[in-house]
Amino acid sequence: MDPVYVFTDAERDELFSVLASVAKSPYEDYPAFSAAVRDVVDRDEVPGFFQELCTTVRTQRESGESDAHVLRNCPIDEEIPLFDQEDPVADKYRKKTTFVGETFLELFGQLVGTPLLAYETRNNGDFFHDVYAVNRYTGTQTQKTDSELFFHNDRTAHPVRADFLALLGMRCPEGDLIFTGFADGRDLLTNLSDEVQATLRSPLFITPFDRYSRDSNTSQTVSEPHAVLENHHSFRYYDTRTRVAPGAGVDAYEALIALKNAIVKARKRRHMILTRDLFVLANQDGLHSRDMVEINNPERARQRWLLKTYAFRDQAAADRHADKWMDGVVGRVAD
């Protein structure tokens, strides 16, 4: 994908200075961290070019022009540590002492108007996650795997799911070709008949929780029966995992096969995330994948690191889940 914006080195460095001025840790006290970023906005310290860029992204989303955007040459931390792949989250807490990448993602979310979302049972309730290989998840379908990921939404089995994902390239070796694929939900609809769409809108399907979710919360095994198609073009689906619920009729099986065929036929965009790239994309109004096209150094590829956030579409979407907030922290749900 072509970037919607490429920061000049001077712009990147100017924005870096603003981000580095935020002294709070997002892992120790997220509300205080988020408030400190809001203070930067309120003091009008954010460069105008970045404010205009965020307005462009928001406008293109609202108009339906695009639900996927790439920003290039973004500011990230000066030191990018390697983490122990037995427990990289704990190692991150020890080694990562600056939070420029996290501040950049928080600021982007605030300016675009997409509040961040966290889960009480995932990564200690953190609002910032790592797409980083963990040894025990090799070969699984989770963000902690070193393998490909089939077309899906993040957190498919969960009742509360993000509207948007942000992936910031912290360390992305260019010698290994790893692409993030995106299929817009509107393109999927063009290959689905009205009859199939109606079946997909019925709660005739289930999705097992992924292994990482089950490890975080042992009560999570299989989702409640759910529809695959919601709103106009929102999909709740994980290829090879979402299946027909017990007792559903043959129409549900045929509809699921039709969706698989539609995914194959749909127009897809693929982007190889480079270090300093930000790739933001719709989570529910489309499906995404990880395609490992050419891996020349498997160990180097396993050290690829994307900093990731989940976000609601807008404040109104966040408010609809207000009864689920945990620990008094807006945006952290009991899931």
Side-chain angles (χ1 to χ4, degrees):
M1 286 180 57
D2 290 333
V4 68
Y5 195 85
V6 180
F7 294 99
T8 67
D9 288 351
E11 289 174 335
R12 182 197 68 207
D13 292 346
E14 180 183 357
L15 187 53
F16 177 94
S17 296
V18 173
L19 301 173
S21 70
V22 176
K24 300 292 185 180
S25 167
Y27 303 107
E28 294 178 359
D29 189 343
Y30 174 76
F33 167 80
S34 181
V37 176
R38 174 59 61 188
D39 288 344
V40 169
V41 177
D42 291 343
R43 292 195 299 267
D44 200 25
E45 295 177 1
V46 180
F49 63 83
F50 189 58
Q51 296 185 50
E52 293 173 7
L53 169 59
C54 291
T55 298
T56 296
V57 171
R58 183 173 64 250
T59 300
Q60 290 188 0
R61 286 176 175 177
E62 292 172 350
S63 68
E65 180 178 346
S66 181
D67 270 340
H69 296 86
V70 175
L71 283 58
R72 178 150 290 166
N73 197 29
C74 302
I76 59 175
D77 300 82
E78 292 180 326
E79 182 180 353
I80 308 297
L82 285 170
F83 303 134
D84 175 10
Q85 290 182 287
E86 288 298 319
D87 191 352
V89 173
D91 206 28
K92 179 178 70 171
Y93 296 154
R94 290 188 291 267
K95 292 180 177 177
K96 196 170 191 301
T97 58
T98 62
F99 309 106
V100 171
E102 291 88 344
T103 308
F104 178 63
L105 291 173
E106 174 72 23
L107 179 61
F108 177 84
Q110 290 191 14
L111 293 179
V112 176
T114 51
L116 299 192
L117 164 65
Y119 298 93
E120 184 193 27
T121 59
R122 176 157 292 201
N123 287 6
N124 305 306
D126 289 342
F127 283 76
F128 300 91
H129 303 266
D130 309 297
V131 179
Y132 197 94
V134 178
N135 291 338
R136 64 183 177 277
Y137 294 117
T138 293
T140 65
Q141 286 290 299
T142 80
Q143 69 179 16
K144 305 297 186 182
T145 189
D146 55 4
S147 306
E148 291 195 326
L149 296 174
F150 309 133
F151 272 103
H152 67 286
N153 329 101
D154 272 31
R155 312 284 278 178
T156 315
H158 296 258
V160 180
R161 298 173 304 284
D163 294 303
F164 286 98
L165 308 177
L167 301 167
L168 178 61
M170 302 293 282
R171 181 173 52 249
C172 302
E174 296 184 33
D176 302 298
L177 305 184
I178 303 174
F179 288 80
T180 300
F182 178 71
D184 192 299
R186 287 164 290 205
D187 293 329
L188 295 175
L189 288 185
T190 63
N191 294 302
L192 295 170
S193 68
D194 291 344
E195 182 180 6
V196 166
Q197 289 185 37
T199 302
L200 292 174
R201 291 184 183 279
S202 300
L204 302 173
F205 309 91
I206 56 174
T207 303
F209 285 83
D210 64 272
R211 180 179 162 187
Y212 184 42
S213 294
R214 296 197 306 270
D215 287 351
S216 300
N217 185 344
T218 57
S219 68
Q220 295 175 331
T221 54
V222 179
S223 73
E224 80 290 349
H226 64 82
V228 163
L229 180 56
E230 302 171 331
N231 305 316
H232 179 261
H233 58 276
S234 298
F235 284 83
R236 186 178 178 182
Y237 176 77
Y238 202 122
D239 203 11
T240 74
R241 287 175 51 207
T242 299
R243 59 180 186 260
V244 173
V250 67
D251 289 352
Y253 287 93
E254 293 177 347
L256 207 58
I257 292 171
L259 175 58
K260 288 176 177 288
N261 291 338
I263 293 171
V264 174
K265 296 175 183 177
R267 180 178 72 96
K268 303 174 186 70
R269 286 174 279 177
R270 291 184 172 88
H271 181 68
M272 179 178 170
I273 300 174
L274 304 178
T275 300
R276 296 186 179 276
D277 271 8
L278 175 64
F279 188 20
V280 288
L281 63 154
N283 181 47
Q284 297 195 62
D285 287 350
L287 301 173
H288 61 281
S289 66
R290 181 194 299 171
D291 305 320
M292 303 182 76
V293 176
E294 183 177 346
I295 304 300
N296 294 301
N297 186 327
E299 185 58 30
R300 178 181 61 194
R302 293 185 82 249
Q303 295 171 351
R304 176 178 183 256
W305 176 23
L306 309 179
L307 193 62
K308 175 180 182 178
T309 57
Y310 302 109
F312 289 112
R313 182 177 307 279
D314 49 31
Q315 189 59 52
D319 290 344
R320 285 196 291 273
H321 298 284
D323 61 331
K324 302 180 179 67
W325 299 148
M326 295 300 298
D327 303 324
V329 179
V330 174
R332 182 180 293 148
V333 298
D335 189 358

